[in-house]
Amino acid sequence: MNDIFDDNLFGFDGPMEAEAEFIPLLTQEEEDNMTSAEYPQDIPILPLRNNVLFPGVVIPITVGRDKSIKLVQHANKSNKIIGVISQKNMEIEEPEFDDLHQIGTVAQIVRMLKMPDGSTTVIIQGKRRFKMKELVQSEPFMRASIELCEEPKAPKKDKEYVAMIQSMKELSLKIIKESPNIPTEAQFAIKNIESSTFLINFISSNMNADVATKQKMLEELDLKKRAMKVIEHLTLEVQQLAMRNEIQTRVKTDIDKQQREYFLHQQMKTIQEELGGSPQEQDVASMRKRAKTKKWNDKVKDVFNKELERLQRMNPQGAEYTVQLNYLDLLLDLPWNEFTTDKLDLKRAERILEKDHYGLEKVKKRILEYLAVLKLKKDMKSPILCFYGPPGVGKTSLGKSIAEALGREYVRMSLGGLHDESEIRGHRKTYIGAMPGRVLQNIKKAKSSNPVFVLDEIDKLGRSNHGDPSSALLEVLDPAQNNAFYDNYIEMEYDLSNVMFIATANDLSTIQPALRDRMEIIEVNGYTVEEKIEIAKRHLLPKQIEAHGISKKNISIAKNIFETVIEEYTHESGVRGLDKMVAKLVRNTARQIAMEETINPKLNKEEIQKILGPGRPKTKYSNNEVAGVVTGLAWTAMGGDILFIESSISKGKGNLTLTGNLGDVMKESASIALQYLKAHADWFDLDYRIFEQHNVHIHVPEGATPKDGPSAGITMLTSLASLFTQRKVKKYIAMTGEITLRGDVLPVGGIKEKILAAKRARIKEIILCETNKSDIEEIIPDYLTGLTFHYVKTMKEVLDIALTNQKVKTPFKLEVRESVKS
């Protein structure tokens, strides 16, 4: 507890009720006796923090320092005489001799009180000025030798001095009268003081002045000079009081609700400053501190400082304040020029990619190429890759593996169903609730300017009256432009050239051509049965065992069981459905363990069928005993598949009927095939009139499934040729290719998926366009084991390979009517 003086107890700005008890009004005789009294040559010295004691004035002080308590207790038991001197610096807790002023006041302890809170309050009365000479003792309290100052006599016959005293009284009474915080009873003390010297001391002690000013008045021994200083201070106080009253009166006349709220906010601000500063100032200080650590350029720095100054001028209760605060927070959170260090160990990267994904050699090769160039060149713009392929082949999870291999942060942004341009570019910050685009939001989340950024399902972007987000992505995914990507919210350019963007798509046809042109398309094909078995064994089963809380010894699945599950229960290019089937098997084992049933760790086919239900084997090649039935190869969004082209003939007028939910392109292929066969009937020793007297029906089974595309052209031609010649189609052969009226065979896409589908269906020979030979060369040789490829250029080559000279057992008799001959 500090030694303090309660100004409000006796001052002009506090109540005066305690005056009769604590402040006796000195008569002239009492003042003379006090001046002429004898005092010891050395006395205890009591330092005061924030007040000055004048002769004749009574003040209460609260003592809390150990030395001060020991001093007043000692003095109270002896002669009650102490020396009171103000500190030069009130912040010093334990002042030394040199920390005190030289001039002080001899005081007498009037009363010593023990307060309810445990503190000690001492009422003292000033007696006479003194000057400290030297320190006598410092423990347990300070004692010093003193020299009493000569107290001047009041010049009663000096008219100027008398006028000063009168002016002093009038100014004091005016302050008491006009100040709303001082009770009118305070006038009693001023009017009843007879001694001019005591009046000067009393007013000096109680007026609203700092310790330094009061100390100068104490040290001034000339009464006229001291009186003039008091008058100057009182005059200034009167002027300030008049000004405050005038302002309050003027404001009071037209104050309204908004102004009242303003004053309440100002009061709140003052209270908050007393408690450590307003929230607004704390926000600004915190932001300035964070800004010192940012690596942004001068342009961004200037914008930040300008917007921060604008925030300081805003009303914290206004709606714009929150918008501005969020904007500055984003600028501080974005990782300007902050990058993670790439791990350029290619062997390590290769191990990570091999560990996380089985197969996908083309993708792994491309990533290692990028790392190799980065290692040699040290600096290069990141590529924009687009992984394209059927669902479930690991396109999205590849991004996470690439991030781990590079040692970069990983973020993923799903674009499926996105139809608002502002989701990419952000909103203008002038709107309440404005936000930056999701590109910068994810960069902020990554806390790095060079993460691996996966744009998932880029082919499923929509568009609406809010703009076209795929057009907004043109800037993001252009290596020549994205070093200055402009977001509407931050209204500045942000460098995205170090971000490694990886897009994923199932269908390239729905991607805007300009956007597709900016990306490097990498096809991620479906898996073979052998690859799926390895993936299930290495990744899916261990993952599900861990997820379901059982151990490896509780379940074991052999390769042939995996093959059964793949071929009979999953019909896909990827492994997502396989993962669900494996999870179902593991859940069954978990249930058996929880119910304490007997379990067989090694699952067999009977148990698989019991757990998963009856399977549905994939379509396989059957036989070639029927004319007009040919196996074709098709590509679907779920991967490759085989389909059968069936054709039949009946007597009629040469009509062509197509069924099987076919698209326009497939219908055109059927018409071309029939027309080509008519034009080259002599190749097969056919009478051209047969086509005019018979109806042809071409059907593609599973009519509920829509089918379209040109790749069934050669299959339809072979089917019609077999039908009209009644020759068998070669066993275990499938084909794919587009046809023209000139008789050329054109290349088609989706070759790897089609080859895998053929192998699953036990096909042994495949007919392809010669141009598709390069596609076959890209496929791993292991996948081609057991397959023979025939590369053709013309339709005649197709028919020569596909048709045998053997007739079907029950051929349809093609006859030309006599009436038509005549």
Side-chain angles (χ1 to χ4, degrees):
M1 181 83 67
N2 300 329
D3 299 334
I4 61 170
F5 166 58
D6 188 355
D7 288 331
N8 290 331
L9 191 58
F10 298 109
F12 292 149
D13 56 350
M16 298 293 291
E17 291 81 4
E19 179 182 276
E21 184 178 357
F22 294 141
I23 308 180
L25 301 180
L26 296 180
T27 62
Q28 187 63 49
E29 182 180 357
E30 289 173 335
E31 188 176 6
D32 293 341
N33 292 337
M34 188 175 65
T35 304
S36 60
E38 295 292 332
Y39 298 101
Q41 291 183 351
D42 62 275
I43 57 176
I45 302 300
L46 177 66
L48 287 187
R49 277 185 191 274
N50 54 3
N51 203 7
V52 178
L53 178 64
F54 288 81
V57 179
V58 177
I59 63 171
I61 59 172
T62 300
V63 292
R65 295 187 283 207
D66 291 339
K67 286 186 177 182
S68 300
I69 293 173
K70 291 176 182 178
L71 185 149
V72 297
Q73 288 175 347
H74 175 271
N76 192 47
K77 291 178 182 178
S78 57
N79 59 4
K80 301 184 184 296
I81 299 298
I82 60 175
V84 177
I85 298 184
S86 298
Q87 296 179 198
K88 295 177 182 178
N89 183 358
M90 68 177 65
E91 301 296 330
I92 298 176
E93 184 65 29
E94 296 291 340
E96 302 294 338
F97 183 79
D98 293 335
D99 296 324
L100 305 177
H101 290 286
Q102 295 300 304
I103 303 297
T105 304
V106 176
Q108 181 178 4
I109 297 177
V110 177
R111 190 179 303 170
M112 188 169 173
L113 303 172
K114 200 74 174 177
M115 305 307 289
D117 62 355
S119 61
T120 301
T121 298
V122 182
I123 300 171
I124 59 175
Q125 183 179 27
K127 296 296 183 180
R128 189 169 174 180
R129 293 174 179 81
F130 72 87
K131 182 177 181 180
M132 283 199 307
K133 294 171 66 177
E134 60 182 14
L135 185 66
V136 176
Q137 74 173 42
S138 57
E139 297 295 339
F141 47 79
M142 196 182 302
R143 180 183 287 271
S145 59
I146 64 170
E147 178 183 346
L148 297 174
C149 298
E150 189 68 30
E151 292 291 343
K153 296 291 183 181
K156 295 181 180 180
K157 295 181 180 181
D158 189 332
K159 293 182 180 180
E160 184 181 4
Y161 175 74
V162 173
M164 285 182 178
I165 298 301
Q166 188 63 33
S167 177
M168 194 183 304
K169 276 191 175 184
E170 291 174 357
L171 288 170
S172 299
L173 293 173
K174 187 174 183 180
I175 291 172
I176 294 171
K177 182 179 180 182
E178 294 185 2
S179 177
N181 299 322
I182 303 177
T184 55
E185 289 83 358
Q187 299 178 28
F188 172 81
I190 302 298
K191 291 177 180 180
N192 288 279
I193 294 177
E194 298 176 358
S195 170
S196 61
T197 55
F198 179 63
L199 179 68
I200 295 172
N201 289 338
F202 181 76
I203 294 175
S204 299
S205 177
N206 291 285
M207 68 184 180
N208 187 17
D210 55 25
V211 174
T213 302
K214 290 183 179 181
Q215 181 66 28
K216 289 180 181 178
M217 292 180 180
L218 179 68
E219 294 175 357
E220 181 57 64
L221 298 179
D222 190 307
L223 282 177
K224 287 182 70 174
K225 290 181 179 180
R226 197 190 315 161
M228 183 56 68
K229 288 182 179 180
V230 173
I231 290 172
E232 288 174 357
H233 191 85
L234 291 177
T235 302
L236 180 62
E237 183 68 23
V238 169
Q239 292 173 351
Q240 292 177 345
L241 185 60
M243 193 180 300
R244 286 200 299 269
N245 290 338
E246 181 184 351
I247 293 171
Q248 289 175 359
T249 303
R250 188 167 63 244
V251 171
K252 192 174 181 180
T253 56
D254 59 350
I255 193 167
D256 58 11
K257 180 181 178 182
Q258 184 178 0
Q259 290 170 313
R260 285 198 301 273
E261 289 179 353
Y262 171 76
F263 283 117
L264 288 172
H265 289 317
Q266 290 300 109
Q267 291 177 1
M268 188 182 296
K269 181 180 177 182
T270 304
I271 293 170
Q272 289 169 341
E273 287 174 352
E274 291 292 329
L275 295 173
S278 67
Q280 184 181 16
E281 290 178 352
Q282 291 176 359
D283 289 339
V284 172
S286 173
M287 286 181 174
R288 286 195 190 280
K289 184 178 180 181
R290 290 170 62 191
K292 291 179 181 178
T293 63
K294 300 303 291 182
K295 298 178 182 178
W296 47 34
N297 55 37
D298 292 338
K299 182 180 177 181
V300 181
K301 184 177 181 181
D302 292 342
V303 171
F304 174 80
N305 290 332
K306 179 182 176 182
E307 296 296 333
L308 187 62
E309 290 172 3
R310 186 168 172 232
L311 179 74
Q312 288 179 283
R313 297 192 297 269
M314 285 183 174
N315 179 7
Q317 303 303 317
E320 285 189 1
Y321 182 83
T322 304
V323 175
Q324 187 73 359
L325 190 66
N326 291 339
Y327 175 72
L328 291 170
D329 269 333
L330 177 67
L331 291 185
L332 289 167
D333 289 339
L334 284 173
W336 303 87
N337 297 319
E338 295 177 17
F339 307 101
T340 55
T341 303
D342 288 332
K343 297 177 180 178
L344 301 177
D345 185 350
L346 270 64
K347 295 292 184 183
R348 172 184 170 276
E350 187 176 24
R351 285 197 302 272
I352 291 173
L353 293 173
E354 290 292 344
K355 174 177 69 72
D356 293 345
H357 291 84
Y358 186 82
L360 307 178
E361 305 302 328
K362 191 186 298 184
V363 181
K364 295 173 183 176
K365 180 182 177 183
R366 179 64 185 88
I367 299 305
L368 292 176
E369 287 173 353
Y370 169 70
L371 283 175
V373 175
L374 191 63
K375 184 175 183 179
L376 297 175
K377 194 172 180 289
K378 304 299 182 186
D379 179 32
M380 66 175 292
K381 289 185 177 180
S382 295
I384 313 295
L385 306 179
C386 179
F387 296 153
Y388 151 66
V393 294
K395 300 184 298 296
T396 305
S397 60
L398 262 171
K400 189 173 288 187
S401 298
I402 292 169
E404 184 183 353
L406 285 169
R408 294 189 181 187
E409 297 297 326
Y410 168 80
V411 288
R412 173 184 165 273
M413 174 179 168
S414 178
L415 299 177
L418 202 70
H419 57 80
D420 191 346
E421 180 189 345
S422 59
E423 292 283 350
I424 306 297
R425 288 193 177 278
H427 309 81
R428 299 200 177 276
K429 66 183 176 70
T430 50
Y431 301 111
I432 295 175
M435 295 175 63
R438 290 175 63 184
V439 174
L440 286 192
Q441 286 184 44
N442 281 285
I443 294 292
K444 168 189 165 185
K445 184 170 70 174
K447 298 179 181 178
S448 165
S449 285
N450 65 335
V452 172
F453 198 126
V454 174
L455 298 167
D456 212 9
E457 310 291 356
I458 197 171
D459 58 323
K460 296 174 181 62
L461 278 171
R463 62 183 302 171
S464 67
N465 57 346
H466 296 292
D468 182 7
S470 64
S471 298
L473 277 175
L474 293 176
E475 183 183 6
V476 176
L477 299 182
D478 190 344
Q481 297 180 39
N482 63 8
N483 62 332
F485 172 67
Y486 186 88
D487 188 282
N488 292 327
Y489 185 80
I490 66 171
E491 296 179 338
M492 281 186 292
E493 296 174 346
Y494 193 90
D495 186 3
L496 297 177
S497 63
N498 294 292
V499 179
M500 186 173 187
F501 286 104
I502 296 176
T504 69
N506 300 128
D507 185 5
L508 293 179
S509 63
T510 60
I511 302 176
Q512 188 182 133
L515 183 59
R516 188 168 65 241
D517 186 57
R518 283 163 166 78
M519 300 185 291
E520 181 181 342
I521 307 297
I522 298 178
E523 191 172 357
V524 183
N525 298 308
Y527 298 109
T528 64
V529 173
E530 292 78 12
E531 285 178 325
K532 287 183 180 181
I533 291 172
E534 289 299 323
I535 291 170
K537 183 180 176 183
R538 298 184 187 189
H539 301 286
L540 304 185
L541 183 59
K543 182 185 77 171
Q544 295 298 343
I545 287 174
E546 182 180 356
H548 290 84
I550 65 175
S551 63
K552 293 181 181 179
K553 66 181 181 180
N554 297 132
I555 185 169
S556 175
I557 304 177
K559 286 188 176 183
N560 63 321
I561 302 299
F562 276 129
E563 185 176 358
T564 301
V565 173
I566 292 166
E567 293 189 340
E568 298 187 13
Y569 295 92
T570 65
H571 306 283
E572 58 178 353
S573 290
V575 292
R576 197 167 283 147
L578 177 59
D579 189 31
K580 294 174 184 176
M581 292 298 111
V582 173
K584 198 169 183 180
L585 298 176
V586 174
R587 281 198 304 271
N588 181 73
T589 301
R591 179 190 59 80
Q592 290 177 326
I593 294 172
M595 297 181 69
E596 298 181 354
E597 297 179 1
T598 303
I599 63 172
N600 180 16
K602 293 185 178 181
L603 297 178
N604 53 43
K605 289 187 178 181
E606 290 74 17
E607 290 172 325
I608 292 294
Q609 194 169 21
K610 184 178 178 182
I611 298 169
L612 302 181
R616 185 169 66 89
K618 268 214 173 260
T619 306
K620 287 185 172 57
Y621 178 83
S622 54
N623 58 61
N624 64 341
E625 297 301 323
V626 180
V629 179
V630 184
T631 306
L633 299 176
W635 180 93
T636 69
M638 302 303 291
D641 201 355
I642 68 167
L643 54 83
F644 296 105
I645 305 293
E646 302 175 347
S647 58
S648 65
I649 192 168
S650 62
K651 292 181 179 181
K653 298 180 179 181
N655 297 327
L656 174 64
T657 303
L658 302 171
T659 57
N661 202 350
L662 306 182
D664 291 337
V665 178
M666 283 194 77
K667 291 177 181 178
E668 290 171 359
S669 296
S671 299
I672 293 171
L674 182 59
Q675 190 60 38
Y676 181 82
L677 198 61
K678 287 179 181 180
H680 299 84
D682 55 327
W683 286 2
F684 308 101
D685 296 326
L686 295 176
D687 191 327
Y688 71 92
R689 290 172 295 183
I690 292 176
F691 298 102
E692 298 174 358
Q693 298 178 19
H694 293 83
N695 294 335
V696 177
H697 187 161
I698 299 177
H699 176 68
V700 183
E702 298 185 18
T705 305
K707 309 167 194 72
D708 201 4
S711 61
I714 64 172
T715 315
M716 288 182 170
L717 174 65
T718 306
S719 174
L720 291 174
S722 171
L723 178 68
F724 279 99
T725 61
Q726 293 294 296
R727 289 160 62 182
K728 288 184 178 182
V729 178
K730 196 173 184 180
K731 277 189 176 184
Y732 302 107
I733 195 168
M735 59 194 72
T736 181
E738 184 180 358
I739 58 176
T740 69
L741 276 175
R742 299 193 310 271
D744 294 331
V745 177
L746 302 180
V748 291
I751 295 300
K752 182 180 178 183
E753 285 82 358
K754 293 176 180 179
I755 298 304
L756 298 182
K759 194 169 184 182
R760 288 195 296 268
R762 305 290 191 265
I763 298 294
K764 295 180 181 178
E765 297 182 55
I766 296 175
I767 300 176
L768 296 168
C769 174
E770 190 174 45
T771 310
N772 284 126
K773 188 174 183 179
S774 58
D775 297 312
I776 299 297
E777 291 172 351
E778 291 182 1
I779 301 174
I780 299 174
D782 293 347
Y783 300 167
L784 307 178
T785 305
L787 292 176
T788 302
F789 294 94
H790 302 281
Y791 301 107
V792 298
K793 292 182 180 180
T794 64
M795 294 186 189
K796 190 174 187 306
E797 293 179 66
V798 174
L799 298 177
D800 290 342
I801 296 170
L803 296 181
T804 67
N805 293 321
Q806 186 180 1
K807 297 280 185 175
V808 295
K809 290 182 179 179
T810 55
F812 180 82
K813 295 181 179 180
L814 294 169
E815 297 179 349
V816 178
R817 292 193 296 272
E818 292 298 330
S819 57
V820 175
K821 279 188 176 183
S822 61

